[in-house]
Amino acid sequence: IEASKRGLEETLAHIKAKAEDPDLIQMERENALKGTAKVAAEDVSTPFQKAYAQALSLYFRRKYKEANIGFKLMVEQFRKEINIDDLVKLYNYQGICFEKELDYESAMTCFLLSLNLKPLDAVTLRNIGNVKLLTGDITEAIGYYDKALSIDHDDINTLNNKGHALSKIGNIN
């Protein structure tokens, strides 16, 4: 893990130093398109976007521990440069990585940080519901799913998760 962290730190430093090199930017765009993150070329034009594409690539390859390190480093290094919506996404991805590693307390911390920044974020509310469901607090999970659905009525993931929670308590209506 320490080697992965050093590697990601070196990558981020390299990206920041070379951000103005058009040939390098083009190469990074091509590499990002080849990755599992499937980020559009026009989106990989800043150091933040490149680091985000790399962390997402790890995430989509289910390398959650390494992805989480990447997301954490991004929060630390780019916090002052990114907007609230991007920070909310980073905290959500961090939380999901912790959730996949069965570290529900750390996952909840990330989701609450996200919720503090954007209290009406449907994805964050759904993610909190997921942790509540996984930890056996089904009633609270349903409450979070309901809050998320009040913001985004058609989110299929939240609807599915709420249905799963309701089935656990025998209420399928």
Side-chain angles (χ1 to χ4, degrees):
I1 294 175
E2 224 20 70
S4 293
K5 183 178 178 182
R6 277 193 307 277
L8 285 168
E9 287 171 343
E10 290 171 7
T11 300
L12 290 170
H14 172 75
I15 292 167
K16 278 188 168 184
K18 302 291 184 178
E20 301 303 316
D21 183 349
D23 293 330
L24 182 61
I25 290 171
Q26 182 59 35
M27 182 181 73
E28 289 171 353
R29 286 179 182 159
E30 292 168 6
N31 287 340
L33 286 172
K34 293 176 187 173
T36 2
K38 295 186 174 53
V39 175
E42 64 272 8
D43 290 341
V44 185
S45 58
T46 68
F48 169 77
Q49 291 164 335
K50 174 61 176 169
Y52 187 67
Q54 288 178 335
L56 277 180
S57 178
L58 290 167
Y59 173 84
F60 288 126
R61 290 185 313 211
R62 298 178 184 200
K63 295 183 177 189
Y64 300 116
K65 193 169 288 232
E66 293 89 347
N68 207 351
I69 292 168
F71 293 127
K72 182 177 187 240
L73 288 172
M74 289 173 63
V75 168
E76 292 169 2
Q77 292 190 8
F78 296 107
R79 185 178 182 90
K80 294 180 181 172
E81 302 170 30
I82 59 177
N83 63 42
I84 296 290
D85 288 338
D86 286 335
L87 196 52
V88 166
K89 284 181 193 175
L90 289 175
Y91 282 135
N92 271 296
Y93 275 116
Q94 267 192 283
I96 294 167
C97 288
F98 280 124
E99 179 188 317
K100 299 290 186 185
E101 295 173 343
L102 308 180
D103 183 350
Y104 301 126
E105 185 177 329
S106 296
M108 188 60 77
T109 298
C110 291
F111 297 141
L112 292 175
L113 285 168
S114 176
L115 197 61
N116 186 48
L117 293 171
K118 193 172 177 184
L120 297 176
D121 185 66
V123 172
T124 302
L125 291 165
R126 178 185 70 223
N127 288 336
I128 291 173
N130 292 346
V131 171
K132 294 293 185 182
L133 183 62
L134 289 167
T135 57
D137 195 344
I138 298 169
T139 304
E140 223 177 308
I142 293 168
Y144 278 102
Y145 294 143
D146 285 338
K147 286 179 191 175
L149 289 168
S150 73
I151 297 163
D152 185 357
H153 311 301
D154 300 322
D155 180 43
I156 193 71
N157 292 318
T158 305
L159 289 166
N160 181 55
N161 294 354
K162 182 180 176 185
H164 180 70
L166 289 170
S167 73
K168 285 187 165 279
I169 60 172
N171 182 353
I172 55 172
N173 294 328

